[in-house]
Amino acid sequence: MSSPRRVSLLTLGCARNEVDSEELAGRLAAGGWELADDPESADVVVVNTCGFVESAKKDSVDTLLAAADTGAKVVAVGCMAERYGAELAESLPEADAVLGFDHYPDLAERLGEVAAGQQIAAHVPVDRRTLLPITPVARPAASAGVTVPGHGWGPRVLRARLDDSPVASLKIASGCDRRCSFCAIPSFRGSFVSRPPEEILAEAAWLAGQGVRELFLVSENSTSYGKDFGRAHGGTRALERLLPRLAGIEGIDRVRVSYLQPAETRPDLVRAIATTPGVAAYFDLSFQHASEAVLRRMRRFGSTASFLALIDQIREFAPAAGIRTNVIVGFPGETEADVDELERFLSKARLDAVGVFGYSDEDGTEAEGFDGKLDEEVIAKRVARISGLVEELTAQRAEERVGESVDVLVEEVEDEVVGRAAHQAPEVDGACVLIDADDVQIGEIVRCRVVDSEGVDLIVRPDADR
């Protein structure tokens, strides 16, 4: 009897890619492939690439080249493969195949062909926004013939866990209808499509059965969830209806929402996230800048005043809510006054975490053709300037939490006991280091008191009567 074929999955990029990799793992396992942790022991290495920004593309290429050094067959999937397809295949002969999203349902068969030495034509990219109707409510009926990773499972759960973490990402939607001038994601992820609530709930219950205690809801734009359902299924209020149902699943202790668009963050949604039992009072708001002039060139809405009003609204419901954002500096046409305005906003906002990125051109975006481009040296200086301010401000915000009570989900118990409070998302935010906590278990929620801070990290001690 021949040994089962072995495949190793390597994942780059965001939490959405991590979910896609677990879907691929489930499909491959169902197709007779054995999942291998070590690429050195695999027949085929599948690299789930990221194609978001230049540094992520470089990481993807480096990972593909390293995988080729193992002697295994190498297959590129994911956002970079979807975005560049045949162009990537031509420039990277070390990859035995470059496959797009449309190959996902039959990936087990395609890998079998690769393992047998057969040539598979590289994916030919299209603008995936053209695959579905412009009108969101017309999409559910039309989406049956379009492959959207993480969608269309029905009552099945086409997923296999690739780790034993007590937290797991759960995709609620894919794609984006916004047209931010700097972002290429909609062109290769497609138009916005929500997953049906029952499909999400079934996957959430399955994850709970796998030992997951925190659900991290991901999408390109969670505030749009349900807009393609129509009023009968909740419409744009669908997320408010979904959250308590997810929080009520046996075994789930915490539900966290990510990727909120400030312009679409309605008061009812703020209230639902801030006050629903079992839902983390956590707001991942994509501000991107605070200068109105820069935001308009970005094709975004908002201002320092409107953003601060939203933050005030959040803290009226939940004074200790976690709030994070990302900002881009060095955007074409950005002036020193614009940077001053961003500094003013950040200083007033008291955010828990801020990702600072320097602008770079992205293929096919509107901003690629803008005038007013800044020198790389100027952009680097502005990144350093804002990053220094952010480091100071977020450390101050963490220090303000000394004395608070926090519920910490324990995730590591080796050299240190480490976990996360409700205001801390996986990987992108700070963490809690527990002291005097030798008897805790991974996956346990521990009531703690914050006794100190180190940068954005908190030092916490379990309550005596926990």
Side-chain angles (χ1 to χ4, degrees), residues 355-400:
V356 182
F357 299 90
Y359 171 81
S360 62
D361 284 337
E362 279 299 304
D363 298 338
T365 60
E366 183 183 5
E368 186 183 22
F370 282 178
D371 57 11
K373 298 285 177 63
L374 303 180
D375 292 340
E376 290 185 9
E377 183 178 347
V378 172
I379 295 174
K381 287 181 178 178
R382 291 182 180 180
V383 168
R385 171 181 166 185
I386 297 299
S387 296
L389 176 65
V390 161
E391 185 175 353
E392 178 183 345
L393 293 173
T394 54
Q396 290 174 1
R397 178 62 180 145
E399 189 175 355
E400 290 174 3

Side-chain angles (χ1 to χ4, degrees), residues 109 194 229 386 401 449:
E109 290 83 354
S194 303
F229 288 161
I386 297 299
R401 293 190 180 274
R449 180 76 59 178

